[in-house]
Amino acid sequence: MTALHNIAVVDDQLLFRQGLAALITGVEDFNLLLEAESGNDLLEKLEASPVLPHVLLMDMKLPDMNGSELNAVLQKKYPSVKVIVVSMYDQERFIYRMIEGGACGYLAKNCGKEELVAAINSVLRSGFYFNTSTMQAMRNAATYQKQGMRNLNNIPVELSEREEEVLKLICREYTNTEIAAELFISVRTAEGHRNKLLLKTGCKNSAGLVVFAIRHGLFDIMTG
């Protein structure tokens, strides 16, 4: 029997939240773990829940805190929860800020069921989902500087040739197993390279590594 993936939803619009909940309930392998109407409501329910969601669908505008504030709390207290923003705000600065802050994906509220399900599955598999709008926002907002790479704390970063190879494969949504097969290394070694990349760059997750790669011209989002 396939293990269920726990999904949570936080949105203050009751009708939209109920629609997401119904959609998730109707998808095989998805389990609607909890719903919340505000940031504090979500945090209280996460604190009380015996298990954490694998993926959280989160609105940007909540009555008690904005998406950036809630995301910062989640990244600190519940880093294993993968956040996908589902918002009516599609300005590039919002998209870039949330992805850089640790969110794994950003969807417009008018996206279709197929894309939402695909986004959740992609985040579960590879740690991120970037559609055309998200990738274009990152491309426009990022500064391309392959020389003089720096992490989030403005500390110079030097990547080995192998680490750059691994980073490019991560950008192509390769799992550790797939990276190992592509580079003829062990899965443990591939995992070690991924962890070292996170440590060197100061990124929180795979989505952050993609942002780093784009910012420094290591990966062309249009051609791969």
Side-chain angles (χ1 to χ4, degrees):
M1 182 177 178
T2 305
L4 293 176
H5 299 296
N6 294 320
I7 315 295
V9 177
V10 55
D11 195 298
D12 64 329
Q13 297 179 352
L14 178 60
L15 186 61
F16 186 79
R17 188 172 73 247
Q18 289 178 334
L20 281 180
L23 186 156
I24 291 164
T25 302
V27 177
E28 188 178 2
D29 300 337
F30 286 1
N31 173 55
L32 180 65
L33 182 66
L34 59 88
E35 300 177 49
E37 62 183 9
S38 68
N40 285 317
D41 184 31
L42 172 69
L43 294 174
E44 289 174 4
K45 288 179 176 177
L46 289 176
E47 186 72 27
S49 178
V51 296
L52 292 175
H54 297 100
V55 173
L56 169 67
L57 304 179
M58 181 181 76
D59 191 13
M60 271 290 291
K61 188 176 183 298
L62 297 168
D64 52 355
M65 63 181 76
N66 62 43
S68 295
E69 293 168 335
L70 178 56
N71 188 49
V73 176
L74 292 170
Q75 296 300 327
K76 184 176 181 179
K77 294 190 65 176
Y78 305 105
S80 67
V81 177
K82 295 176 172 60
V83 175
I84 299 177
V85 179
V86 184
S87 174
M88 62 183 292
Y89 298 100
D90 59 357
Q91 292 94 330
E92 291 182 347
R93 67 180 186 277
F94 289 126
I95 298 174
Y96 187 79
R97 183 187 308 159
M98 292 303 292
I99 298 298
E100 191 173 45
C104 298
Y106 199 109
L107 297 172
K109 278 194 170 181
N110 64 355
C111 73
K113 171 184 175 180
E114 294 77 11
E115 184 177 16
L116 179 64
V117 174
I120 294 174
N121 283 325
S122 178
V123 165
L124 287 168
R125 178 183 180 276
S126 63
F128 66 94
Y129 173 78
F130 295 161
N131 59 17
T132 302
S133 298
T134 303
M135 292 191 294
Q136 189 63 54
M138 292 193 298
R139 188 184 197 194
N140 291 342
T143 301
Y144 293 84
Q145 296 178 337
K146 186 170 183 179
Q147 299 299 322
M149 289 186 291
R150 293 179 177 272
N151 66 16
L152 297 178
N153 295 318
N154 204 34
I155 298 173
V157 174
E158 291 187 10
L159 301 182
S160 67
E161 183 177 344
R162 176 48 57 90
E163 286 169 345
E164 287 196 18
E165 289 177 331
V166 171
L167 180 55
K168 290 174 183 177
L169 292 176
I170 290 172
C171 291
R172 296 188 180 107
E173 302 185 38
Y174 279 47
T175 64
N176 287 336
T177 301
E178 291 168 337
I179 291 172
E182 180 74 15
L183 300 179
F184 303 101
I185 58 178
S186 70
V187 175
R188 178 174 293 183
T189 299
E191 183 178 357
H193 284 309
R194 185 187 291 264
N195 291 336
K196 187 172 290 186
L197 283 166
L198 290 170
L199 183 64
K200 282 187 173 183
T201 61
C203 296
K204 298 179 175 67
N205 50 33
S206 296
L209 289 175
V210 178
V211 173
F212 179 89
I214 292 170
R215 179 188 293 131
H216 296 290
L218 299 174
F219 182 71
D220 188 326
I221 57 178
M222 297 307 176
T223 64

